[in-house]
Coordinates of all heavy atoms in Angstrom, one line a residue:
T540 N 223.1 88.6 101.8 CA 222.2 89.6 102.3 C 222.2 89.6 103.8 O 222.3 90.7 104.4 CB 220.7 89.4 101.8 OG1 220.7 89.3 100.4 CG2 219.8 90.5 102.3
L541 N 222.2 88.5 104.5 CA 222.3 88.4 105.9 C 223.6 88.9 106.4 O 223.7 89.6 107.4 CB 222.0 87.0 106.4 CG 220.5 86.6 106.4 CD1 220.4 85.1 106.8 CD2 219.7 87.4 107.3
T542 N 224.7 88.6 105.7 CA 226.0 89.1 106.1 C 226.1 90.6 106.0 O 226.6 91.2 106.9 CB 227.1 88.4 105.2 OG1 227.0 87.0 105.3 CG2 228.5 88.9 105.6
F543 N 225.5 91.1 104.9 CA 225.5 92.6 104.8 C 224.7 93.3 105.9 O 225.1 94.3 106.5 CB 225.0 93.0 103.4 CG 224.9 94.5 103.2 CD1 226.1 95.2 102.9 CD2 223.7 95.2 103.3 CE1 226.0 96.5 102.7 CE2 223.7 96.5 103.2 CZ 224.8 97.2 102.9
I544 N 223.6 92.7 106.3 CA 222.7 93.3 107.3 C 223.5 93.2 108.7 O 223.5 94.1 109.4 CB 221.4 92.5 107.4 CG1 220.5 92.9 106.2 CG2 220.6 92.9 108.7 CD1 219.3 92.1 106.0
I545 N 224.1 92.1 108.9 CA 224.9 91.9 110.2 C 226.0 92.9 110.2 O 226.3 93.6 111.3 CB 225.4 90.5 110.4 CG1 224.2 89.6 110.6 CG2 226.4 90.4 111.5 CD1 224.5 88.1 110.6
L546 N 226.8 93.0 109.1 CA 227.9 94.0 109.1 C 227.4 95.4 109.3 O 228.0 96.2 109.9 CB 228.7 93.8 107.8 CG 229.5 92.6 107.7 CD1 230.2 92.5 106.3 CD2 230.6 92.5 108.8
F547 N 226.3 95.7 108.7 CA 225.7 97.1 108.8 C 225.3 97.4 110.2 O 225.5 98.4 110.7 CB 224.6 97.2 107.8 CG 224.1 98.6 107.7 CD1 224.8 99.6 107.1 CD2 222.8 98.9 108.3 CE1 224.3 100.9 107.0 CE2 222.3 100.2 108.2 CZ 223.1 101.2 107.6
A548 N 224.6 96.3 110.8 CA 224.1 96.5 112.2 C 225.2 96.6 113.2 O 225.0 97.4 114.2 CB 223.2 95.4 112.5
T549 N 226.3 95.9 113.0 CA 227.4 96.0 114.0 C 228.3 97.2 113.8 O 229.2 97.4 114.6 CB 228.2 94.7 114.0 OG1 228.7 94.5 112.7 CG2 227.3 93.5 114.4
G550 N 228.1 97.9 112.7 CA 229.0 99.0 112.4 C 230.3 98.7 111.7 O 231.1 99.6 111.6
S551 N 230.5 97.5 111.3 CA 231.7 97.2 110.6 C 231.9 97.9 109.3 O 233.0 98.1 108.8 CB 231.8 95.7 110.3 OG 231.7 95.0 111.5
L552 N 230.8 98.4 108.7 CA 230.9 99.1 107.5 C 231.3 100.6 107.7 O 231.4 101.3 106.8 CB 229.6 99.0 106.7 CG 229.2 97.6 106.2 CD1 227.9 97.6 105.5 CD2 230.3 97.0 105.3
M553 N 231.4 101.0 108.9 CA 231.8 102.4 109.3 C 233.3 102.6 109.2 O 233.7 103.7 109.3 CB 231.2 102.7 110.7 CG 229.7 102.6 110.8 SD 228.9 103.6 109.6 CE 228.2 104.8 110.7
I554 N 234.0 101.5 109.1 CA 235.5 101.6 109.1 C 236.0 102.6 108.0 O 236.9 103.4 108.3 CB 236.1 100.2 109.0 CG1 235.8 99.4 110.2 CG2 237.6 100.3 108.7 CD1 236.2 98.0 110.2
P555 N 235.6 102.5 106.7 CA 236.1 103.4 105.7 C 235.8 104.9 106.1 O 236.6 105.8 105.9 CB 235.3 103.1 104.4 CG 234.9 101.7 104.6 CD 234.7 101.5 106.1
R556 N 234.6 105.2 106.7 CA 234.3 106.5 107.1 C 235.3 107.0 108.2 O 235.7 108.1 108.3 CB 232.9 106.7 107.6 CG 232.5 108.1 107.8 CD 231.2 108.4 108.4 NE 230.1 107.6 108.1 CZ 228.9 107.7 108.8 NH1 228.8 108.7 109.7 NH2 227.9 107.0 108.5
M557 N 235.6 106.1 109.2 CA 236.5 106.4 110.3 C 237.9 106.7 109.7 O 238.6 107.6 110.2 CB 236.5 105.3 111.3 CG 235.2 105.2 112.1 SD 235.0 103.8 113.3 CE 236.5 103.0 113.3
I558 N 238.3 105.9 108.7 CA 239.6 106.1 108.2 C 239.7 107.5 107.5 O 240.7 108.2 107.6 CB 240.0 105.0 107.2 CG1 240.2 103.7 108.0 CG2 241.2 105.3 106.3 CD1 240.4 102.5 107.1
S559 N 238.6 107.8 106.7 CA 238.6 109.1 106.0 C 238.6 110.3 107.0 O 239.2 111.3 106.8 CB 237.5 109.2 105.1 OG 236.2 109.2 105.8
E560 N 237.9 110.1 108.2 CA 237.9 111.2 109.2 C 239.3 111.3 109.8 O 239.8 112.4 110.1 CB 236.9 110.8 110.3 CG 235.5 111.2 109.9 CD 234.5 110.9 111.1 OE1 234.9 111.0 112.3 OE2 233.4 110.5 110.8
M561 N 240.0 110.2 110.1 CA 241.4 110.3 110.6 C 242.3 111.0 109.7 O 243.2 111.8 110.1 CB 241.9 108.9 111.0 CG 241.2 108.3 112.2 SD 241.6 106.5 112.5 CE 243.3 106.5 112.4
V562 N 242.2 110.7 108.4 CA 243.0 111.3 107.4 C 242.7 112.8 107.3 O 243.6 113.7 107.3 CB 242.8 110.7 106.0 CG1 243.5 111.5 104.9 CG2 243.4 109.3 106.0
R563 N 241.5 113.2 107.4 CA 241.1 114.6 107.4 C 241.6 115.4 108.7 O 242.1 116.5 108.6 CB 239.6 114.8 107.4 CG 239.1 115.7 106.3 CD 237.6 115.8 106.2 NE 236.9 114.7 106.6 CZ 235.7 114.8 107.3 NH1 235.3 115.9 107.6 NH2 235.1 113.7 107.7
Q564 N 241.6 114.7 109.8 CA 242.0 115.3 111.1 C 243.5 115.5 111.1 O 244.0 116.5 111.7 CB 241.6 114.5 112.3 CG 240.1 114.6 112.6 CD 239.7 113.6 113.7 OE1 240.5 112.9 114.2 NE2 238.4 113.7 114.1
H565 N 244.2 114.6 110.5 CA 245.7 114.7 110.6 C 246.3 115.4 109.4 O 247.5 115.3 109.1 CB 246.3 113.3 110.7 CG 245.9 112.7 112.0 ND1 246.4 113.2 113.2 CD2 245.1 111.6 112.3 CE1 245.9 112.4 114.2 NE2 245.1 111.4 113.7

């Protein structure tokens, strides 16, 4: 639970969204 909170707070879980945006842009 603490690992998930830390990853969520630091934005590490945003990587899949960034990859999908890059695929959409290109």
